Amino acid sequence: MTRSLRCTATLLLLGWLSVVPMARAEPPFVVGIATHLMNFDRKLKQPLELTAEAGFNSVKDDAFWSTAAPYPHELRITANWRNYLTIARELDMSRLAILGYSTYFHDNKKPREPVVMGAFLNYVDYVTRQLGNRIT
């Protein structure tokens, strides 16, 4: 093969490789479950271990607005929330938290009015800043 033919073949091969999509690894198949454990005072390790043993690799739970804001102008993250997310991470499960619902001191209204919407956005901002690195 002559030198010019090799160069041409090499350029054609490189051009072909640049347009052929590279094989990509398949993303893991997610099998998830809603657990309803974060907002109640109960043991977490055993139910989450059983969840993992049953083949679930993702958990979803609620980070209730009413739990994060038990009183007007007070925001908190409960130890139970942190514990739940830590255990799930140790079990190599992805974690999803649902932010929502209402508070009694806003008459259980949805965040549609400016005052309620502002308080709701404060709750969302606070929880995401506190737990964002623990949520998948």
Side-chain angles (χ1 to χ4, degrees):
M1 188 181 281
T2 68
R3 182 180 171 135
S4 66
L5 188 56
R6 275 187 298 212
C7 287
T8 302
T10 301
L11 289 173
L12 286 172
L13 179 61
L14 290 173
W16 179 77
L17 288 173
S18 69
V19 296
V20 173
M22 300 303 279
R24 294 185 182 152
E26 285 289 319
F29 186 71
V30 177
V31 180
I33 188 169
T35 59
H36 303 290
L37 294 170
M38 281 178 53
N39 294 285
F40 305 100
D41 188 23
R42 59 176 76 158
K43 297 199 183 292
L44 298 170
K45 191 160 182 78
Q46 183 185 21
L48 287 172
E49 285 175 341
L50 290 171
T51 299
E53 288 172 19
F56 294 99
N57 57 10
S58 182
V59 289
K60 172 183 86 168
D61 215 312
D62 302 298
F64 291 143
W65 184 11
S66 59
T67 301
Y71 306 104
H73 311 293
E74 180 184 322
L75 290 167
R76 67 177 185 178
I77 300 297
T78 67
N80 210 46
W81 288 7
R82 291 184 196 280
N83 194 21
Y84 174 92
L85 295 170
T86 298
I87 293 168
R89 181 181 59 219
E90 289 169 355
L91 293 168
D92 202 28
M93 291 190 280
S94 65
R95 287 118 10 238
L96 173 69
I98 305 298
L99 305 182
Y101 309 102
S102 59
T103 62
Y104 77 90
F105 49 85
H106 287 104
D107 297 323
N108 294 316
K109 293 180 181 176
K110 301 294 180 204
R112 295 186 182 114
E113 299 171 8
V115 171
V116 181
M117 189 180 298
F120 180 78
L121 292 174
N122 285 338
Y123 143 74
V124 170
D125 179 61
Y126 178 78
V127 172
T128 55
R129 280 187 291 109
Q130 295 294 314
L131 298 179
N133 63 345
R134 295 172 183 252
I135 305 291
T136 313

PDB file of all heavy atoms in Angstrom, residues 97-115:
ATOM      1  N   ALA A  97     -36.899  12.866  47.207  1.00  0.00           N
ATOM      2  CA  ALA A  97     -37.751  13.470  48.236  1.00  0.00           C
ATOM      3  C   ALA A  97     -38.802  14.333  47.551  1.00  0.00           C
ATOM      4  O   ALA A  97     -38.483  15.124  46.665  1.00  0.00           O
ATOM      5  CB  ALA A  97     -36.918  14.312  49.196  1.00  0.00           C
ATOM      6  N   ILE A  98     -40.035  14.161  47.970  1.00  0.00           N
ATOM      7  CA  ILE A  98     -41.144  14.961  47.470  1.00  0.00           C
ATOM      8  C   ILE A  98     -41.326  16.138  48.411  1.00  0.00           C
ATOM      9  O   ILE A  98     -41.514  15.961  49.613  1.00  0.00           O
ATOM     10  CB  ILE A  98     -42.452  14.135  47.429  1.00  0.00           C
ATOM     11  CG1 ILE A  98     -42.260  12.856  46.604  1.00  0.00           C
ATOM     12  CG2 ILE A  98     -43.595  14.984  46.908  1.00  0.00           C
ATOM     13  CD1 ILE A  98     -41.904  13.074  45.166  1.00  0.00           C
ATOM     14  N   LEU A  99     -41.254  17.349  47.861  1.00  0.00           N
ATOM     15  CA  LEU A  99     -41.471  18.558  48.647  1.00  0.00           C
ATOM     16  C   LEU A  99     -42.878  19.048  48.359  1.00  0.00           C
ATOM     17  O   LEU A  99     -43.248  19.240  47.209  1.00  0.00           O
ATOM     18  CB  LEU A  99     -40.451  19.636  48.282  1.00  0.00           C
ATOM     19  CG  LEU A  99     -38.981  19.242  48.395  1.00  0.00           C
ATOM     20  CD1 LEU A  99     -38.092  20.416  48.044  1.00  0.00           C
ATOM     21  CD2 LEU A  99     -38.665  18.734  49.782  1.00  0.00           C
ATOM     22  N   GLY A 100     -43.647  19.257  49.425  1.00  0.00           N
ATOM     23  CA  GLY A 100     -44.998  19.729  49.160  1.00  0.00           C
ATOM     24  C   GLY A 100     -45.900  19.683  50.364  1.00  0.00           C
ATOM     25  O   GLY A 100     -45.454  19.640  51.506  1.00  0.00           O
ATOM     26  N   TYR A 101     -47.181  19.703  50.043  1.00  0.00           N
ATOM     27  CA  TYR A 101     -48.280  19.660  50.986  1.00  0.00           C
ATOM     28  C   TYR A 101     -48.506  21.038  51.598  1.00  0.00           C
ATOM     29  O   TYR A 101     -48.384  22.040  50.897  1.00  0.00           O
ATOM     30  CB  TYR A 101     -48.115  18.519  51.988  1.00  0.00           C
ATOM     31  CG  TYR A 101     -47.849  17.218  51.250  1.00  0.00           C
ATOM     32  CD1 TYR A 101     -46.567  16.684  51.160  1.00  0.00           C
ATOM     33  CD2 TYR A 101     -48.878  16.577  50.563  1.00  0.00           C
ATOM     34  CE1 TYR A 101     -46.319  15.521  50.430  1.00  0.00           C
ATOM     35  CE2 TYR A 101     -48.630  15.413  49.836  1.00  0.00           C
ATOM     36  CZ  TYR A 101     -47.354  14.900  49.781  1.00  0.00           C
ATOM     37  OH  TYR A 101     -47.114  13.764  49.056  1.00  0.00           O
ATOM     38  N   SER A 102     -48.816  21.146  52.851  1.00  0.00           N
ATOM     39  CA  SER A 102     -49.243  22.442  53.390  1.00  0.00           C
ATOM     40  C   SER A 102     -48.886  22.536  54.869  1.00  0.00           C
ATOM     41  O   SER A 102     -48.338  21.607  55.448  1.00  0.00           O
ATOM     42  CB  SER A 102     -50.755  22.606  53.203  1.00  0.00           C
ATOM     43  OG  SER A 102     -51.435  21.552  53.871  1.00  0.00           O
ATOM     44  N   THR A 103     -49.245  23.687  55.465  1.00  0.00           N
ATOM     45  CA  THR A 103     -49.039  23.902  56.892  1.00  0.00           C
ATOM     46  C   THR A 103     -50.327  24.444  57.500  1.00  0.00           C
ATOM     47  O   THR A 103     -51.085  25.152  56.833  1.00  0.00           O
ATOM     48  CB  THR A 103     -47.906  24.906  57.172  1.00  0.00           C
ATOM     49  OG1 THR A 103     -48.269  26.158  56.609  1.00  0.00           O
ATOM     50  CG2 THR A 103     -46.590  24.433  56.598  1.00  0.00           C
ATOM     51  N   TYR A 104     -50.550  24.141  58.755  1.00  0.00           N
ATOM     52  CA  TYR A 104     -51.777  24.595  59.412  1.00  0.00           C
ATOM     53  C   TYR A 104     -51.820  26.111  59.528  1.00  0.00           C
ATOM     54  O   TYR A 104     -52.886  26.711  59.484  1.00  0.00           O
ATOM     55  CB  TYR A 104     -51.918  23.932  60.799  1.00  0.00           C
ATOM     56  CG  TYR A 104     -51.019  24.550  61.851  1.00  0.00           C
ATOM     57  CD1 TYR A 104     -51.458  25.614  62.636  1.00  0.00           C
ATOM     58  CD2 TYR A 104     -49.722  24.095  62.042  1.00  0.00           C
ATOM     59  CE1 TYR A 104     -50.625  26.195  63.587  1.00  0.00           C
ATOM     60  CE2 TYR A 104     -48.894  24.664  62.981  1.00  0.00           C
ATOM     61  CZ  TYR A 104     -49.348  25.716  63.751  1.00  0.00           C
ATOM     62  OH  TYR A 104     -48.533  26.294  64.676  1.00  0.00           O
ATOM     63  N   PHE A 105     -50.658  26.751  59.680  1.00  0.00           N
ATOM     64  CA  PHE A 105     -50.671  28.198  59.889  1.00  0.00           C
ATOM     65  C   PHE A 105     -50.851  28.986  58.586  1.00  0.00           C
ATOM     66  O   PHE A 105     -50.913  30.198  58.601  1.00  0.00           O
ATOM     67  CB  PHE A 105     -49.435  28.685  60.666  1.00  0.00           C
ATOM     68  CG  PHE A 105     -48.125  28.183  60.140  1.00  0.00           C
ATOM     69  CD1 PHE A 105     -47.466  28.825  59.118  1.00  0.00           C
ATOM     70  CD2 PHE A 105     -47.544  27.050  60.700  1.00  0.00           C
ATOM     71  CE1 PHE A 105     -46.255  28.364  58.644  1.00  0.00           C
ATOM     72  CE2 PHE A 105     -46.330  26.588  60.242  1.00  0.00           C
ATOM     73  CZ  PHE A 105     -45.685  27.239  59.206  1.00  0.00           C
ATOM     74  N   HIS A 106     -50.972  28.268  57.481  1.00  0.00           N
ATOM     75  CA  HIS A 106     -51.400  28.893  56.223  1.00  0.00           C
ATOM     76  C   HIS A 106     -52.765  28.316  55.821  1.00  0.00           C
ATOM     77  O   HIS A 106     -53.089  28.247  54.644  1.00  0.00           O
ATOM     78  CB  HIS A 106     -50.376  28.657  55.112  1.00  0.00           C
ATOM     79  CG  HIS A 106     -49.140  29.467  55.276  1.00  0.00           C
ATOM     80  ND1 HIS A 106     -47.957  28.933  55.721  1.00  0.00           N
ATOM     81  CD2 HIS A 106     -48.906  30.783  55.081  1.00  0.00           C
ATOM     82  CE1 HIS A 106     -47.043  29.871  55.786  1.00  0.00           C
ATOM     83  NE2 HIS A 106     -47.592  31.005  55.412  1.00  0.00           N
ATOM     84  N   ASP A 107     -53.526  27.879  56.820  1.00  0.00           N
ATOM     85  CA  ASP A 107     -54.853  27.295  56.611  1.00  0.00           C
ATOM     86  C   ASP A 107     -54.831  26.147  55.604  1.00  0.00           C
ATOM     87  O   ASP A 107     -55.790  25.936  54.873  1.00  0.00           O
ATOM     88  CB  ASP A 107     -55.849  28.372  56.163  1.00  0.00           C
ATOM     89  CG  ASP A 107     -56.036  29.444  57.216  1.00  0.00           C
ATOM     90  OD1 ASP A 107     -56.031  29.103  58.418  1.00  0.00           O
ATOM     91  OD2 ASP A 107     -56.160  30.629  56.838  1.00  0.00           O
ATOM     92  N   ASN A 108     -53.730  25.408  55.586  1.00  0.00           N
ATOM     93  CA  ASN A 108     -53.566  24.266  54.684  1.00  0.00           C
ATOM     94  C   ASN A 108     -53.803  24.616  53.215  1.00  0.00           C
ATOM     95  O   ASN A 108     -54.211  23.763  52.426  1.00  0.00           O
ATOM     96  CB  ASN A 108     -54.442  23.089  55.120  1.00  0.00           C
ATOM     97  CG  ASN A 108     -53.992  22.546  56.453  1.00  0.00           C
ATOM     98  OD1 ASN A 108     -52.803  22.372  56.690  1.00  0.00           O
ATOM     99  ND2 ASN A 108     -54.929  22.307  57.347  1.00  0.00           N
ATOM    100  N   LYS A 109     -53.506  25.851  52.848  1.00  0.00           N
ATOM    101  CA  LYS A 109     -53.676  26.301  51.465  1.00  0.00           C
ATOM    102  C   LYS A 109     -52.497  25.853  50.612  1.00  0.00           C
ATOM    103  O   LYS A 109     -51.376  25.726  51.096  1.00  0.00           O
ATOM    104  CB  LYS A 109     -53.778  27.825  51.406  1.00  0.00           C
ATOM    105  CG  LYS A 109     -55.029  28.369  52.038  1.00  0.00           C
ATOM    106  CD  LYS A 109     -55.036  29.880  51.922  1.00  0.00           C
ATOM    107  CE  LYS A 109     -56.277  30.461  52.586  1.00  0.00           C
ATOM    108  NZ  LYS A 109     -56.251  31.926  52.563  1.00  0.00           N
ATOM    109  N   LYS A 110     -52.788  25.657  49.341  1.00  0.00           N
ATOM    110  CA  LYS A 110     -51.732  25.380  48.374  1.00  0.00           C
ATOM    111  C   LYS A 110     -51.002  26.690  48.085  1.00  0.00           C
ATOM    112  O   LYS A 110     -51.563  27.770  48.226  1.00  0.00           O
ATOM    113  CB  LYS A 110     -52.324  24.826  47.075  1.00  0.00           C
ATOM    114  CG  LYS A 110     -53.119  23.551  47.263  1.00  0.00           C
ATOM    115  CD  LYS A 110     -52.232  22.419  47.693  1.00  0.00           C
ATOM    116  CE  LYS A 110     -53.050  21.160  47.870  1.00  0.00           C
ATOM    117  NZ  LYS A 110     -52.443  20.234  48.771  1.00  0.00           N
ATOM    118  N   PRO A 111     -49.740  26.630  47.656  1.00  0.00           N
ATOM    119  CA  PRO A 111     -48.966  27.861  47.439  1.00  0.00           C
ATOM    120  C   PRO A 111     -49.352  28.586  46.149  1.00  0.00           C
ATOM    121  O   PRO A 111     -48.616  28.620  45.174  1.00  0.00           O
ATOM    122  CB  PRO A 111     -47.523  27.357  47.393  1.00  0.00           C
ATOM    123  CG  PRO A 111     -47.628  25.947  46.963  1.00  0.00           C
ATOM    124  CD  PRO A 111     -48.930  25.435  47.515  1.00  0.00           C
ATOM    125  N   ARG A 112     -50.550  29.174  46.171  1.00  0.00           N
ATOM    126  CA  ARG A 112     -51.029  29.928  45.011  1.00  0.00           C
ATOM    127  C   ARG A 112     -51.122  31.418  45.295  1.00  0.00           C
ATOM    128  O   ARG A 112     -51.055  32.214  44.380  1.00  0.00           O
ATOM    129  CB  ARG A 112     -52.390  29.382  44.583  1.00  0.00           C
ATOM    130  CG  ARG A 112     -52.307  27.960  44.081  1.00  0.00           C
ATOM    131  CD  ARG A 112     -53.630  27.476  43.513  1.00  0.00           C
ATOM    132  NE  ARG A 112     -53.501  26.093  43.085  1.00  0.00           N
ATOM    133  CZ  ARG A 112     -54.130  25.084  43.648  1.00  0.00           C
ATOM    134  NH1 ARG A 112     -54.952  25.272  44.643  1.00  0.00           N
ATOM    135  NH2 ARG A 112     -53.937  23.855  43.199  1.00  0.00           N
ATOM    136  N   GLU A 113     -51.295  31.773  46.558  1.00  0.00           N
ATOM    137  CA  GLU A 113     -51.349  33.180  46.950  1.00  0.00           C
ATOM    138  C   GLU A 113     -49.936  33.646  47.259  1.00  0.00           C
ATOM    139  O   GLU A 113     -49.118  32.865  47.738  1.00  0.00           O
ATOM    140  CB  GLU A 113     -52.240  33.349  48.184  1.00  0.00           C
ATOM    141  CG  GLU A 113     -53.674  32.915  47.963  1.00  0.00           C
ATOM    142  CD  GLU A 113     -54.471  32.900  49.263  1.00  0.00           C
ATOM    143  OE1 GLU A 113     -53.966  33.367  50.300  1.00  0.00           O
ATOM    144  OE2 GLU A 113     -55.599  32.388  49.220  1.00  0.00           O
ATOM    145  N   PRO A 114     -49.625  34.914  47.030  1.00  0.00           N
ATOM    146  CA  PRO A 114     -48.254  35.399  47.231  1.00  0.00           C
ATOM    147  C   PRO A 114     -47.674  35.105  48.618  1.00  0.00           C
ATOM    148  O   PRO A 114     -46.516  34.686  48.721  1.00  0.00           O
ATOM    149  CB  PRO A 114     -48.365  36.903  46.978  1.00  0.00           C
ATOM    150  CG  PRO A 114     -49.525  37.034  46.040  1.00  0.00           C
ATOM    151  CD  PRO A 114     -50.484  35.951  46.445  1.00  0.00           C
ATOM    152  N   VAL A 115     -48.445  35.281  49.675  1.00  0.00           N
ATOM    153  CA  VAL A 115     -47.915  35.041  51.030  1.00  0.00           C
ATOM    154  C   VAL A 115     -47.586  33.565  51.225  1.00  0.00           C
ATOM    155  O   VAL A 115     -46.507  33.213  51.732  1.00  0.00           O
ATOM    156  CB  VAL A 115     -48.922  35.523  52.103  1.00  0.00           C
ATOM    157  CG1 VAL A 115     -48.487  35.084  53.490  1.00  0.00           C
ATOM    158  CG2 VAL A 115     -49.098  37.021  52.035  1.00  0.00           C
TER     159      VAL A 115
END
